[in-house]
Amino acid sequence: MTAAIVTTGLGKRYRRRWALSDCTLEIPAGRVTGLVGQNGAGKSTLMNLAAGLLRPTTGTIEVCGGRPASDVAQLAKVGFVAQDTPTYAALSVRDHLRLGARLNPGWDDALAWSRVERIGLDPGQRAGRLSGGQRAQLALAIGLAKRPELLILDEPVASLDPFARREFLQLLMEAVAEQELSVVLSSHVVSDLERVSDHVVVLVDAKVRLAGDVETLLDTHHRLTGPRRAETAMPHDQQVVSVRHTDRQSTYVVRTDGPILDPSWSVSALGLEDLVLSYMGQPASTGTTPALEVLR
Amino acid sequence: MIWLSWRQFRLQAVTAVAAVAAVVVVLAVTGPRLADLAAAGAAQVFDRLTPTDITLFWAGVIVVAGLPALVGAFWGAPLVAHELERGTHRLAWAQSVTRTRWLTTKLVVTAVAAALAVGAVALAVSLWSAPLDGVVSRTRGSLPGHLTPVSFAMRGVVPVAYAVFAVVLGATLGAVLRRPIPAMALTLALYVVVQLVVPLWVRPHLVAPTTATVTISVDTLDGISADPSGRLDSLTVHTGDRDDWILSNETLDRAGLVATLPTWLADCAAPPTTTAVNGGVRARPIDPCLARLNAEGYTQRVVYQPADRFWPIQWAEAALYLAASCLLAGFCVWWTRKRLS
């Protein structure tokens, strides 16, 4: 399988602050990748770099085999729905579809219109008068009708109510199934991504903390609960992700390829949300815990 | 991309067409009478003008002076800044159009529209004012000639170049500042500075000016002025054609050096005193004073642009502004490509 996005030592600095640093990553093609992280962790920066809206300070990024936004052919390969789903407030829905048709050589007008009808948008309505959910759907329709190889969605559901969120993600998944495209979408809410993504990247403090296939991650992470025990007493093949001690009891989240044999632990499976949160709770810059990557 | 630029610009375009049409109608209604006046005899044009004509003349000057500034502030400055502020550039840049093409198309569409709008108004005002430019009354006053700084910038082709320059200036400042309102304010301020600097220090040298040595006589004398204490400090002459643009007017002594006026001139050419002669007020004749100035070797050096250089200077200044616009546009494209990321 080829990669949709490959980065090496990628970094972006705004004046003094590094919004993203030393990011080496491979996002697979043909899958839905969720990018998780708290606000300010560097999700938008990474996505803007991939879409070519930003240029890297250090390192390189390759998207669908080319440098982002280097020419028209490259631009046509990557669809991008920016944060807050910007649209021209004074332009109507119909105008937005015309805009897409005029500016994209591979525009699929039938697809665009069928999506707009499906969502129930009035073509004459000005985009400024649409609700947040409708605007997000319009932006998605434009992104999909461009027929890109890779669609990047930056926090597309952040401002939507739970119902609109569900609807948006559902329509997105249908489109993914029909069009066979790669998708990268970000959110600071893990449960949004849990439903749709099969690959996940966790960013903490401008650095990649975790990247891997969701199933593999779930298979190799365990929650261990038992009598209080020091971290140094843990077996070497079990990588401690997070730990919480009470007076008498310890709760560990560990990553290991092998089975848990110690009978003093009660072992339970982790959901993606708990797994991701246990990584996000850790400080990223300890130095002793390098970014983990689970390979398929 | 042209379609999108046009679609975003449509409302402004309609406003501009309406405004230009209004100006043209007013001038078309009032203009023919002026042309008839001029045809009847240039000598009395000024004396036969109505106060409305004079008001319209100055309104024309103000409109053509102000239009490029408004176009720069209201069309140029928001061109990029508004998109950056609203974040809509992220929608546009996510389509299959390079940033360079996006920006150049927007710039060209807006600059062409500005050039057409300002050009139409400037042409109408130029035609309307042609019979009035430089008219002089023996007794009551005059209107500025078309080469003087007051009128030059509002006639011919330079307003078109100003409009293009103002749009590009506004767009560039908008891209750099990323906020429409500060960009509008700075565009206006910088445009005004440029419009003061160019006529004062650049325009006189666009075409090498002519220097003439003029004999001081009653025929050439324009006036003698005194400082507040009553001492005569300067004397000016004219070049024969009232439409010439006088750049400097200096009195030289016998050695050919710039000189102050001799002190005796004050007594000789004193202002009319109220000596009652047959009940009237009579000035002392000034001829003997001027004759004595000549005898003592005083002459007048005049540096000026002859009236027939109107078009060469127009084209030179238009070319200067268009060249500056191209440089600025290049910078704006570079900034949008490299720095807005």
Side-chain angles (χ1 to χ4, degrees):
Chain A
M1 196 181 283
T2 53
I5 301 178
V6 182
T7 72
T8 356
L10 186 67
K12 176 68 187 176
R13 190 181 55 199
Y14 294 109
R15 294 207 168 86
R16 293 249 182 94
R17 195 177 65 83
W18 284 90
L20 189 71
S21 70
D22 198 27
C23 167
T24 300
L25 194 65
E26 198 175 313
I27 290 176
R31 315 182 58 168
V32 178
T33 303
L35 192 54
V36 200
Q38 285 171 313
N39 291 332
K43 301 188 299 290
S44 280
T45 304
L46 179 55
M47 299 192 125
N48 280 296
L49 284 165
L53 260 68
L54 294 180
R55 290 151 59 89
T57 313
T58 59
T60 57
I61 179 165
E62 220 175 70
V63 178
C64 301
R67 201 165 56 79
S70 50
D71 54 26
V72 172
Q74 176 67 29
L75 281 163
K77 280 191 218 171
V78 183
F80 179 55
V81 176
Q83 200 165 3
D84 310 323
T85 55
T87 49
Y88 290 104
L91 266 57
S92 67
V93 170
R94 186 184 292 114
D95 283 334
H96 276 88
L97 296 191
R98 253 185 231 155
L99 174 160
R102 302 259 178 177
L103 300 186
N104 296 290
W107 183 256
D108 187 338
D109 211 38
L111 174 73
W113 278 105
S114 75
R115 287 199 67 87
V116 162
E117 276 160 29
R118 173 99 189 264
I119 314 154
L121 292 183
D122 169 11
Q125 181 97 322
R126 286 188 176 197
R129 294 181 168 267
L130 297 176
S131 72
Q134 289 174 319
R135 225 179 49 228
Q137 293 283 14
L138 175 61
L140 177 64
I142 296 172
L144 286 171
K146 187 183 172 186
R147 286 276 178 194
E149 289 177 24
L150 167 69
L151 182 62
I152 301 173
L153 303 145
D154 190 359
E155 300 259 8
V157 294
S159 59
L160 307 189
D161 62 65
F163 179 76
R165 248 168 221 247
R166 182 178 290 268
E167 198 183 15
F168 181 92
L169 291 173
Q170 192 183 332
L171 286 170
L172 172 66
M173 292 327 289
E174 283 173 21
V176 170
E178 286 163 17
Q179 292 188 33
E180 295 180 346
L181 77 170
S182 318
V183 174
V184 178
L185 81 164
S186 70
S187 179
H188 57 273
V189 183
V190 187
S191 56
D192 286 337
L193 301 178
E194 195 165 14
R195 263 203 300 275
V196 293
S197 46
D198 42 24
H199 193 87
V200 70
V201 175
V202 179
L203 287 173
V204 177
D205 288 344
K207 287 192 161 66
V208 179
R209 276 289 285 152
L210 174 73
D213 187 81
V214 171
E215 268 180 45
T216 319
L217 286 174
L218 292 178
D219 286 348
T220 53
H221 286 76
H222 310 277
R223 178 186 282 126
L224 311 180
T225 312
R228 190 179 166 117
R229 189 188 292 189
E231 269 175 72
T232 45
M234 296 297 284
H236 289 299
D237 67 331
Q238 293 180 6
Q239 185 123 28
V240 176
V241 177
S242 75
V243 59
R244 207 174 63 240
H245 298 294
T246 61
D247 285 345
R248 297 163 56 192
Q249 188 173 281
S250 292
T251 306
Y252 279 88
V253 172
V254 297
R255 175 185 159 255
T256 178
D257 293 328
I260 309 287
L261 300 170
D262 193 332
S264 59
W265 292 119
S266 86
V267 182
S268 60
L270 281 151
L272 184 64
E273 182 158 13
D274 290 338
L275 194 159
V276 164
L277 288 176
S278 65
Y279 275 95
M280 282 164 63
Q282 289 286 90
S285 50
T286 49
T288 51
T289 50
L292 301 175
E293 180 146 15
V294 177
L295 298 172
R296 290 175 308 282
Chain B
M1 193 54 224
I2 294 175
W3 176 84
L4 176 61
S5 302
W6 166 245
R7 180 62 191 81
Q8 289 182 276
F9 189 68
R10 210 168 59 182
L11 199 66
Q12 283 123 300
V14 172
T15 320
V17 167
V20 170
V23 170
V24 170
V25 165
V26 169
L27 297 182
V29 169
T30 52
R33 193 180 67 83
L34 300 174
D36 292 347
L37 280 185
Q44 301 113 41
V45 171
F46 188 90
D47 296 320
R48 290 164 67 180
L49 292 178
T50 63
T52 317
D53 295 330
I54 306 278
T55 310
L56 273 176
F57 178 88
W58 290 110
V61 167
I62 291 165
V63 164
V64 182
L67 260 189
L70 292 180
V71 155
F74 287 93
W75 291 0
L79 197 64
V80 179
H82 195 257
E83 301 236 10
L84 294 177
E85 193 188 42
R86 298 288 177 90
T88 45
H89 65 293
R90 294 174 301 158
L91 175 66
W93 295 357
Q95 311 308 313
S96 314
V97 173
T98 59
R99 269 186 227 189
T100 309
R101 202 175 129 222
W102 174 81
L103 181 61
T104 32
T105 312
K106 279 170 88 78
L107 273 179
V108 168
V109 167
T110 315
V112 166
L116 287 176
V118 173
V121 172
L123 178 66
V125 170
S126 293
L127 291 175
W128 188 92
S129 313
L132 265 52
D133 279 335
V135 294
V136 179
S137 158
R138 292 294 301 171
T139 51
R140 286 201 296 144
S142 63
L143 291 174
H146 65 175
L147 196 54
T148 56
V150 177
S151 286
F152 179 84
M154 294 71 187
R155 306 281 183 267
V157 293
V158 288
V160 174
Y162 298 160
V164 171
F165 174 76
V167 164
V168 178
L169 178 70
T172 307
L173 292 173
V176 173
L177 296 176
R178 304 180 186 205
R179 291 274 175 280
I181 304 293
M184 288 164 87
L186 194 59
T187 303
L188 280 177
L190 270 181
Y191 180 77
V192 168
V193 168
V194 170
Q195 286 294 51
L196 289 176
V197 166
V198 169
L200 282 176
W201 289 294
V202 180
R203 190 183 300 152
H205 310 292
L206 284 175
V207 175
T210 303
T211 304
T213 306
V214 177
T215 312
I216 303 165
S217 73
V218 172
D219 294 331
T220 57
L221 184 68
D222 221 17
I224 302 176
S225 57
D227 63 17
S229 66
R231 204 178 62 82
L232 299 184
D233 61 352
S234 68
L235 179 154
T236 54
V237 298
H238 57 80
T239 49
D241 188 341
R242 291 269 172 190
D243 285 344
D244 291 346
W245 179 26
I246 310 266
L247 303 173
S248 84
N249 210 326
E250 292 165 320
T251 308
L252 304 184
D253 62 13
R254 193 183 294 277
L257 300 170
V258 176
T260 50
L261 294 172
T263 44
W264 55 259
L265 190 63
D267 304 325
C268 176
T273 44
T274 46
T275 332
V277 180
N278 298 335
V281 176
R282 209 177 60 185
R284 257 183 280 177
I286 198 160
D287 293 23
C289 311
L290 299 182
R292 187 171 164 192
L293 272 178
N294 280 321
E296 290 189 7
Y298 288 100
T299 51
Q300 194 75 4
R301 185 174 67 192
V302 183
V303 179
Y304 69 106
Q305 293 287 5
D308 60 7
R309 295 220 183 126
F310 176 75
W311 282 108
I313 298 176
Q314 279 271 329
W315 289 117
E317 186 161 326
L320 177 76
Y321 269 86
L322 290 178
S325 307
C326 288
L327 284 178
L328 257 181
F331 172 78
C332 188
V333 169
W334 173 82
W335 183 274
T336 307
R337 280 170 54 104
K338 306 287 173 187
R339 299 303 302 272
L340 288 184
S341 55

